[in-house]
Amino acid sequence: MAKVTRDDVARLAGTSTAVVSYVINNGPRPVAPATRERVQAAITELGYRPDRVAQAMASRRTDLIGMIVPDARQPFFAEMAHAVEQAAAERGKMVLVGNSDYRDEREVHYLRAFLGMRVSGLILVSQGPSERAAAEVEAWEARVVLLHERPESLDDVAVVTDDVGGAQLATRHLLEHGHPYVACLGGMEDTPAVGDPVADHVEGWRRAMLEAGRSVEGRLFQAPYNRYDAYQVALGLLAGPDRPPAIFCSTDDQAIGVLRAARELRLDVPGELAVAGFDDVKEAGLTDPPLTTVSSDRPAMARAAVDLVLDEGLRVAGSRRERVKQFPSALIVRRSCGCS
């Protein structure tokens, strides 16, 4: 059987091949509803399947978006990737997701792989791309949108949330419950000091403590971002003689680990220990007690990132402030802080 072509569809629908292309690609020009219905009916009747490889070779771009995250096993990154996939689907695009595992060589591997596939653009969640990663982006002249964090090593458009302000909200709220101080679970030694959300969460905690006249000396503790390792850190911290009265965790995953350690040590939360997190992952509402945390509008951030990576006209040049689209943070109050 001869292969069905775009010319066959146009002939049956009584339109030009250009109109067929506009229907298939959902643009760039609008098509009247009646004409669109005729084209879609012809596609169905003939069983036409667009040759995506040929399209990519002709346009030098596919209908794919590459997304690189540190670890999709962590709920925050999984939920963000899902939001990006939904936003991309609204634009007729598909998303390829790669996990860097917080390793530069893995990030470069996925950058090269996705760029070699001629993706329409890249959405990058990175702790701080290496010089090799930045060179790959520059060599391919790729459209890149940084999501969730804004490393200084890539001067590109970014979509972020107000990490510093959100951490301040959570820390102030814990202090308002009358605690003499709030400890903080931050990142690790290799966490970038600038452009990383966890570093910004620590900075927000620090500002709130100092504004309240409280010392931060000896009250910042290193912990991995995931719940399992944070649980081990919390066991030692909460079993020690200087157990803090309240803890602000830089991620909800850390906070979930803290809650598990507190239960194992038979500490009442929030009676003996108040806890707050950051991210508002779906599990935060199901912990015991439910976790007070900081939320961001992930669906809106995902849509903004997809729009920016696909629409060259939306990408603004200028100062760093003009190139960063920041969404506000909101405090989600549940019971782990002491509120009823």
Side-chain angles (χ1 to χ4, degrees):
M1 180 181 292
K3 181 179 179 180
V4 179
T5 68
R6 195 165 300 190
D7 289 336
D8 298 327
V9 174
R11 192 177 304 111
L12 180 59
T15 65
S16 67
T17 55
V19 170
V20 175
S21 295
Y22 300 154
V23 172
I24 293 171
N25 298 315
N26 199 27
R29 295 185 179 179
V31 177
T35 305
R36 179 180 291 274
E37 287 182 11
R38 291 205 315 273
V39 171
Q40 290 173 335
I43 289 173
T44 301
E45 181 177 337
L46 296 172
Y48 173 68
R49 295 293 182 270
D51 188 337
R52 298 298 185 186
V53 174
Q55 288 177 339
M57 291 178 64
S59 66
R60 304 197 58 161
R61 287 288 181 266
T62 65
D63 58 0
L64 302 173
I65 295 174
M67 183 176 185
I68 304 175
V69 299
D71 187 352
R73 294 173 300 180
Q74 294 183 23
F76 175 82
F77 295 124
E79 291 178 21
M80 183 62 82
H82 185 259
V84 168
E85 185 177 19
Q86 288 184 311
E90 294 172 3
R91 300 288 303 272
K93 302 293 182 180
M94 295 181 290
V95 180
L96 299 174
V97 179
N99 291 269
S100 69
D101 293 327
Y102 295 98
R103 293 159 52 196
D104 289 341
E105 62 270 22
R106 294 290 295 170
E107 189 168 85
V108 171
H109 165 76
Y110 278 114
L111 277 170
R112 287 175 176 166
F114 290 163
L115 292 171
M117 294 176 187
R118 297 291 182 181
V119 293
S120 296
L122 284 167
I123 295 176
L124 181 60
V125 181
S126 175
Q127 277 193 294
S130 63
E131 291 184 3
R132 286 193 301 158
E136 289 291 330
V137 170
E138 185 176 354
W140 286 86
E141 297 181 350
R143 297 185 188 180
V144 176
V145 171
L146 305 171
L147 181 60
H148 177 51
E149 50 194 290
R150 176 57 156 76
E152 294 294 328
S153 54
L154 273 185
D155 183 26
D156 222 306
V157 176
V159 177
V160 300
T161 192
D162 183 4
D163 291 294
V164 174
Q168 285 180 285
L169 287 174
T171 305
R172 286 171 185 158
H173 184 75
L174 290 174
L175 290 170
E176 287 167 359
H177 276 278
H179 299 296
Y181 71 92
V182 176
C184 177
L185 283 194
M188 301 298 288
E189 286 185 7
D190 57 356
T191 299
V194 179
D196 181 83
V198 169
D200 287 344
H201 298 169
V202 172
E203 177 60 24
W205 162 80
R206 189 189 311 276
R207 291 184 188 182
M209 286 280 286
L210 296 178
E211 287 169 0
R214 315 295 169 86
S215 172
V216 298
E217 189 68 29
R219 290 168 178 172
L220 171 62
F221 301 92
Q222 291 184 351
Y225 305 142
N226 68 81
R227 67 189 66 180
Y228 311 103
D229 293 325
Y231 156 75
Q232 296 292 341
V233 172
L235 279 177
L237 177 61
L238 299 181
D242 298 322
R243 172 172 54 81
I247 300 178
F248 165 66
C249 300
S250 295
T251 72
D252 280 354
D253 246 23
Q254 289 176 328
I256 291 171
V258 170
L259 291 175
R260 177 66 180 85
R263 176 177 287 274
E264 188 167 314
L265 295 170
R266 301 184 183 278
L267 293 175
D268 176 60
V269 178
E272 297 175 274
L273 174 70
V275 180
F278 201 114
D279 289 332
D280 193 29
V281 300
K282 292 187 182 301
E283 291 172 89
L286 300 177
T287 57
D288 185 18
L291 180 64
T292 292
T293 183
V294 178
S295 175
S296 58
D297 192 343
R298 280 192 284 278
M301 292 175 66
R303 283 192 297 272
V306 169
D307 287 344
L308 286 167
V309 86
L310 294 178
D311 300 330
E312 188 68 32
L314 292 177
R315 294 162 60 79
V316 293
S319 68
R320 181 182 189 279
R321 185 173 183 179
E322 291 171 329
R323 296 172 66 84
V324 176
K325 186 173 180 60
Q326 186 179 78
F327 286 77
S329 295
L331 183 65
I332 306 299
V333 177
R334 298 190 180 102
R335 293 210 318 268
S336 67
C337 62
C339 290
S340 60

PDB file of all heavy atoms in Angstrom, residues 76 80 84 147-148 159-161 296-306 325 327:
ATOM      1  N   PHE A  76       9.118  16.750  45.041  1.00  0.00           N
ATOM      2  CA  PHE A  76       9.033  18.088  44.470  1.00  0.00           C
ATOM      3  C   PHE A  76       9.381  18.063  42.987  1.00  0.00           C
ATOM      4  O   PHE A  76       8.674  18.635  42.155  1.00  0.00           O
ATOM      5  CB  PHE A  76       9.974  19.055  45.192  1.00  0.00           C
ATOM      6  CG  PHE A  76      10.014  20.423  44.564  1.00  0.00           C
ATOM      7  CD1 PHE A  76       9.036  21.367  44.838  1.00  0.00           C
ATOM      8  CD2 PHE A  76      11.014  20.759  43.654  1.00  0.00           C
ATOM      9  CE1 PHE A  76       9.054  22.616  44.239  1.00  0.00           C
ATOM     10  CE2 PHE A  76      11.041  21.997  43.046  1.00  0.00           C
ATOM     11  CZ  PHE A  76      10.056  22.931  43.346  1.00  0.00           C
ATOM     12  N   MET A  80       6.968  18.760  39.789  1.00  0.00           N
ATOM     13  CA  MET A  80       7.315  19.825  38.846  1.00  0.00           C
ATOM     14  C   MET A  80       7.397  19.282  37.422  1.00  0.00           C
ATOM     15  O   MET A  80       6.913  19.907  36.469  1.00  0.00           O
ATOM     16  CB  MET A  80       8.641  20.474  39.244  1.00  0.00           C
ATOM     17  CG  MET A  80       9.040  21.648  38.361  1.00  0.00           C
ATOM     18  SD  MET A  80       7.845  23.022  38.423  1.00  0.00           S
ATOM     19  CE  MET A  80       8.381  23.851  39.924  1.00  0.00           C
ATOM     20  N   VAL A  84       5.174  20.409  34.158  1.00  0.00           N
ATOM     21  CA  VAL A  84       5.760  20.802  32.875  1.00  0.00           C
ATOM     22  C   VAL A  84       5.188  19.960  31.747  1.00  0.00           C
ATOM     23  O   VAL A  84       4.877  20.474  30.660  1.00  0.00           O
ATOM     24  CB  VAL A  84       7.302  20.686  32.930  1.00  0.00           C
ATOM     25  CG1 VAL A  84       7.907  20.794  31.527  1.00  0.00           C
ATOM     26  CG2 VAL A  84       7.883  21.764  33.836  1.00  0.00           C
ATOM     27  N   LEU A 147      14.618  26.553  35.719  1.00  0.00           N
ATOM     28  CA  LEU A 147      13.405  26.417  36.512  1.00  0.00           C
ATOM     29  C   LEU A 147      13.758  26.061  37.943  1.00  0.00           C
ATOM     30  O   LEU A 147      14.592  25.180  38.178  1.00  0.00           O
ATOM     31  CB  LEU A 147      12.505  25.333  35.904  1.00  0.00           C
ATOM     32  CG  LEU A 147      11.165  25.073  36.588  1.00  0.00           C
ATOM     33  CD1 LEU A 147      10.297  26.328  36.594  1.00  0.00           C
ATOM     34  CD2 LEU A 147      10.425  23.936  35.889  1.00  0.00           C
ATOM     35  N   HIS A 148      13.123  26.771  38.884  1.00  0.00           N
ATOM     36  CA  HIS A 148      13.256  26.491  40.307  1.00  0.00           C
ATOM     37  C   HIS A 148      14.494  27.133  40.919  1.00  0.00           C
ATOM     38  O   HIS A 148      14.475  27.512  42.073  1.00  0.00           O
ATOM     39  CB  HIS A 148      13.257  24.981  40.553  1.00  0.00           C
ATOM     40  CG  HIS A 148      13.455  24.562  41.974  1.00  0.00           C
ATOM     41  ND1 HIS A 148      12.710  25.064  43.011  1.00  0.00           N
ATOM     42  CD2 HIS A 148      14.317  23.671  42.541  1.00  0.00           C
ATOM     43  CE1 HIS A 148      13.102  24.512  44.156  1.00  0.00           C
ATOM     44  NE2 HIS A 148      14.080  23.664  43.893  1.00  0.00           N
ATOM     45  N   VAL A 159      12.657  30.891  35.728  1.00  0.00           N
ATOM     46  CA  VAL A 159      11.368  30.944  36.409  1.00  0.00           C
ATOM     47  C   VAL A 159      11.593  30.379  37.809  1.00  0.00           C
ATOM     48  O   VAL A 159      11.968  29.222  37.963  1.00  0.00           O
ATOM     49  CB  VAL A 159      10.303  30.115  35.664  1.00  0.00           C
ATOM     50  CG1 VAL A 159       8.993  30.129  36.424  1.00  0.00           C
ATOM     51  CG2 VAL A 159      10.106  30.644  34.243  1.00  0.00           C
ATOM     52  N   VAL A 160      11.379  31.208  38.817  1.00  0.00           N
ATOM     53  CA  VAL A 160      11.696  30.816  40.193  1.00  0.00           C
ATOM     54  C   VAL A 160      10.557  31.235  41.115  1.00  0.00           C
ATOM     55  O   VAL A 160       9.655  31.979  40.730  1.00  0.00           O
ATOM     56  CB  VAL A 160      13.016  31.462  40.668  1.00  0.00           C
ATOM     57  CG1 VAL A 160      14.176  31.032  39.791  1.00  0.00           C
ATOM     58  CG2 VAL A 160      12.902  32.981  40.689  1.00  0.00           C
ATOM     59  N   THR A 161      10.629  30.766  42.340  1.00  0.00           N
ATOM     60  CA  THR A 161       9.725  31.234  43.379  1.00  0.00           C
ATOM     61  C   THR A 161      10.506  32.080  44.368  1.00  0.00           C
ATOM     62  O   THR A 161      11.747  32.097  44.350  1.00  0.00           O
ATOM     63  CB  THR A 161       9.054  30.048  44.099  1.00  0.00           C
ATOM     64  OG1 THR A 161       7.984  30.538  44.913  1.00  0.00           O
ATOM     65  CG2 THR A 161      10.049  29.287  44.957  1.00  0.00           C
ATOM     66  N   SER A 296       4.403  27.047  46.425  1.00  0.00           N
ATOM     67  CA  SER A 296       4.567  27.864  45.230  1.00  0.00           C
ATOM     68  C   SER A 296       3.590  27.362  44.181  1.00  0.00           C
ATOM     69  O   SER A 296       3.123  26.224  44.254  1.00  0.00           O
ATOM     70  CB  SER A 296       6.001  27.787  44.693  1.00  0.00           C
ATOM     71  OG  SER A 296       6.350  26.443  44.393  1.00  0.00           O
ATOM     72  N   ASP A 297       3.275  28.191  43.221  1.00  0.00           N
ATOM     73  CA  ASP A 297       2.307  27.833  42.185  1.00  0.00           C
ATOM     74  C   ASP A 297       3.025  27.072  41.078  1.00  0.00           C
ATOM     75  O   ASP A 297       3.417  27.628  40.059  1.00  0.00           O
ATOM     76  CB  ASP A 297       1.644  29.100  41.630  1.00  0.00           C
ATOM     77  CG  ASP A 297       0.434  28.789  40.757  1.00  0.00           C
ATOM     78  OD1 ASP A 297       0.306  27.627  40.328  1.00  0.00           O
ATOM     79  OD2 ASP A 297      -0.359  29.707  40.493  1.00  0.00           O
ATOM     80  N   ARG A 298       3.200  25.758  41.278  1.00  0.00           N
ATOM     81  CA  ARG A 298       3.954  24.965  40.313  1.00  0.00           C
ATOM     82  C   ARG A 298       3.313  24.926  38.928  1.00  0.00           C
ATOM     83  O   ARG A 298       4.027  25.016  37.927  1.00  0.00           O
ATOM     84  CB  ARG A 298       4.192  23.558  40.856  1.00  0.00           C
ATOM     85  CG  ARG A 298       5.351  23.494  41.838  1.00  0.00           C
ATOM     86  CD  ARG A 298       5.749  22.069  42.146  1.00  0.00           C
ATOM     87  NE  ARG A 298       4.835  21.420  43.035  1.00  0.00           N
ATOM     88  CZ  ARG A 298       4.840  21.540  44.364  1.00  0.00           C
ATOM     89  NH1 ARG A 298       5.711  22.351  44.942  1.00  0.00           N
ATOM     90  NH2 ARG A 298       3.978  20.883  45.114  1.00  0.00           N
ATOM     91  N   PRO A 299       1.991  24.768  38.815  1.00  0.00           N
ATOM     92  CA  PRO A 299       1.401  24.776  37.464  1.00  0.00           C
ATOM     93  C   PRO A 299       1.665  26.076  36.715  1.00  0.00           C
ATOM     94  O   PRO A 299       1.991  26.055  35.519  1.00  0.00           O
ATOM     95  CB  PRO A 299      -0.097  24.576  37.736  1.00  0.00           C
ATOM     96  CG  PRO A 299      -0.142  23.832  39.031  1.00  0.00           C
ATOM     97  CD  PRO A 299       0.995  24.393  39.836  1.00  0.00           C
ATOM     98  N   ALA A 300       1.565  27.216  37.408  1.00  0.00           N
ATOM     99  CA  ALA A 300       1.827  28.500  36.747  1.00  0.00           C
ATOM    100  C   ALA A 300       3.294  28.634  36.373  1.00  0.00           C
ATOM    101  O   ALA A 300       3.634  29.151  35.298  1.00  0.00           O
ATOM    102  CB  ALA A 300       1.405  29.659  37.660  1.00  0.00           C
ATOM    103  N   MET A 301       4.196  28.173  37.244  1.00  0.00           N
ATOM    104  CA  MET A 301       5.617  28.217  36.938  1.00  0.00           C
ATOM    105  C   MET A 301       5.937  27.331  35.743  1.00  0.00           C
ATOM    106  O   MET A 301       6.724  27.707  34.867  1.00  0.00           O
ATOM    107  CB  MET A 301       6.434  27.777  38.161  1.00  0.00           C
ATOM    108  CG  MET A 301       6.369  28.750  39.334  1.00  0.00           C
ATOM    109  SD  MET A 301       7.226  28.109  40.806  1.00  0.00           S
ATOM    110  CE  MET A 301       8.931  28.075  40.226  1.00  0.00           C
ATOM    111  N   ALA A 302       5.314  26.152  35.686  1.00  0.00           N
ATOM    112  CA  ALA A 302       5.549  25.237  34.565  1.00  0.00           C
ATOM    113  C   ALA A 302       5.069  25.850  33.259  1.00  0.00           C
ATOM    114  O   ALA A 302       5.760  25.775  32.235  1.00  0.00           O
ATOM    115  CB  ALA A 302       4.849  23.910  34.826  1.00  0.00           C
ATOM    116  N   ARG A 303       3.880  26.449  33.270  1.00  0.00           N
ATOM    117  CA  ARG A 303       3.367  27.080  32.052  1.00  0.00           C
ATOM    118  C   ARG A 303       4.278  28.211  31.606  1.00  0.00           C
ATOM    119  O   ARG A 303       4.544  28.384  30.409  1.00  0.00           O
ATOM    120  CB  ARG A 303       1.945  27.600  32.281  1.00  0.00           C
ATOM    121  CG  ARG A 303       0.885  26.504  32.262  1.00  0.00           C
ATOM    122  CD  ARG A 303      -0.506  27.095  32.192  1.00  0.00           C
ATOM    123  NE  ARG A 303      -0.830  27.898  33.363  1.00  0.00           N
ATOM    124  CZ  ARG A 303      -1.363  27.401  34.471  1.00  0.00           C
ATOM    125  NH1 ARG A 303      -1.635  26.106  34.564  1.00  0.00           N
ATOM    126  NH2 ARG A 303      -1.641  28.189  35.489  1.00  0.00           N
ATOM    127  N   ALA A 304       4.764  28.999  32.567  1.00  0.00           N
ATOM    128  CA  ALA A 304       5.659  30.100  32.223  1.00  0.00           C
ATOM    129  C   ALA A 304       6.947  29.575  31.602  1.00  0.00           C
ATOM    130  O   ALA A 304       7.447  30.126  30.618  1.00  0.00           O
ATOM    131  CB  ALA A 304       5.970  30.933  33.469  1.00  0.00           C
ATOM    132  N   ALA A 305       7.491  28.490  32.158  1.00  0.00           N
ATOM    133  CA  ALA A 305       8.734  27.925  31.633  1.00  0.00           C
ATOM    134  C   ALA A 305       8.531  27.389  30.223  1.00  0.00           C
ATOM    135  O   ALA A 305       9.372  27.602  29.333  1.00  0.00           O
ATOM    136  CB  ALA A 305       9.237  26.815  32.561  1.00  0.00           C
ATOM    137  N   VAL A 306       7.419  26.687  29.987  1.00  0.00           N
ATOM    138  CA  VAL A 306       7.139  26.145  28.653  1.00  0.00           C
ATOM    139  C   VAL A 306       6.929  27.276  27.654  1.00  0.00           C
ATOM    140  O   VAL A 306       7.456  27.240  26.534  1.00  0.00           O
ATOM    141  CB  VAL A 306       5.914  25.212  28.693  1.00  0.00           C
ATOM    142  CG1 VAL A 306       5.458  24.853  27.283  1.00  0.00           C
ATOM    143  CG2 VAL A 306       6.245  23.940  29.473  1.00  0.00           C
ATOM    144  N   LYS A 325      11.670  35.535  36.097  1.00  0.00           N
ATOM    145  CA  LYS A 325      10.249  35.625  36.415  1.00  0.00           C
ATOM    146  C   LYS A 325      10.035  34.949  37.761  1.00  0.00           C
ATOM    147  O   LYS A 325      10.174  33.733  37.881  1.00  0.00           O
ATOM    148  CB  LYS A 325       9.411  34.952  35.330  1.00  0.00           C
ATOM    149  CG  LYS A 325       7.908  35.122  35.523  1.00  0.00           C
ATOM    150  CD  LYS A 325       7.145  34.583  34.334  1.00  0.00           C
ATOM    151  CE  LYS A 325       5.631  34.760  34.513  1.00  0.00           C
ATOM    152  NZ  LYS A 325       5.248  36.179  34.671  1.00  0.00           N
ATOM    153  N   PHE A 327       7.773  33.995  41.073  1.00  0.00           N
ATOM    154  CA  PHE A 327       6.424  33.785  41.592  1.00  0.00           C
ATOM    155  C   PHE A 327       6.453  33.878  43.118  1.00  0.00           C
ATOM    156  O   PHE A 327       7.417  33.467  43.751  1.00  0.00           O
ATOM    157  CB  PHE A 327       5.905  32.413  41.160  1.00  0.00           C
ATOM    158  CG  PHE A 327       5.510  32.333  39.715  1.00  0.00           C
ATOM    159  CD1 PHE A 327       6.466  32.227  38.720  1.00  0.00           C
ATOM    160  CD2 PHE A 327       4.173  32.400  39.348  1.00  0.00           C
ATOM    161  CE1 PHE A 327       6.105  32.162  37.383  1.00  0.00           C
ATOM    162  CE2 PHE A 327       3.797  32.349  38.013  1.00  0.00           C
ATOM    163  CZ  PHE A 327       4.766  32.235  37.029  1.00  0.00           C
TER     164      PHE A 327
END
